[in-house]
């Protein structure tokens, strides 16, 4: 994804919230991305389409709260 978008690791770090050092280790094979929360952060930062990732790997939107009542 990074190379396809002509992005530097620093750019990916800004987009995803993952450190440049961690992204470097991922690319070199020194680390694996196994934490589901980090996977979701990465996919969300890349704005990966749901049809590629599936809905299970997308952040959960906050549920709307009950309607507010006005005080008169």
């Amino acid at each position: 994804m990074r190379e396809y978008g002509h992005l530097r690791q620093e750019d990916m770090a800004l987009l995803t919230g993952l450190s440049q050092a961690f992204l470097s280790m991922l690319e070199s094979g020194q680390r694996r991305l196994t934490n589901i929360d980090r996977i979701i952060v990465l996919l969300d930062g890349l704005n990966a389409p749901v049809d590629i990732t599936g809905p299970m790997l997308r952040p959960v939107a906050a549920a709307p709260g009950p309607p507010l009542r006005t005080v008169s």
Side-chain angles (χ1 to χ4, degrees):
M1 288 292 292
R2 183 176 72 76
E3 290 175 354
Y4 179 76
H6 305 287
L7 299 171
R8 300 172 304 144
Q9 286 180 345
E10 292 84 4
D11 300 327
M12 286 286 286
L14 288 172
L15 287 171
T16 63
L18 301 173
S19 73
Q20 179 275 324
F22 184 75
L23 292 168
S24 177
M25 288 186 281
L26 285 176
E27 289 185 11
S28 68
Q30 293 175 331
R31 294 286 302 266
R32 296 181 70 189
L33 193 56
T34 58
N35 180 305
I36 190 70
D37 294 329
R38 281 195 167 185
I39 293 169
I40 290 170
V41 166
L42 177 69
L43 294 173
D44 190 44
L46 296 174
N47 201 23
V50 174
D51 60 329
I52 292 174
T53 64
M56 296 300 292
L57 293 179
R58 304 305 300 165
V60 177
L68 298 176
R69 294 186 335 202
T70 57
V71 177
S72 48

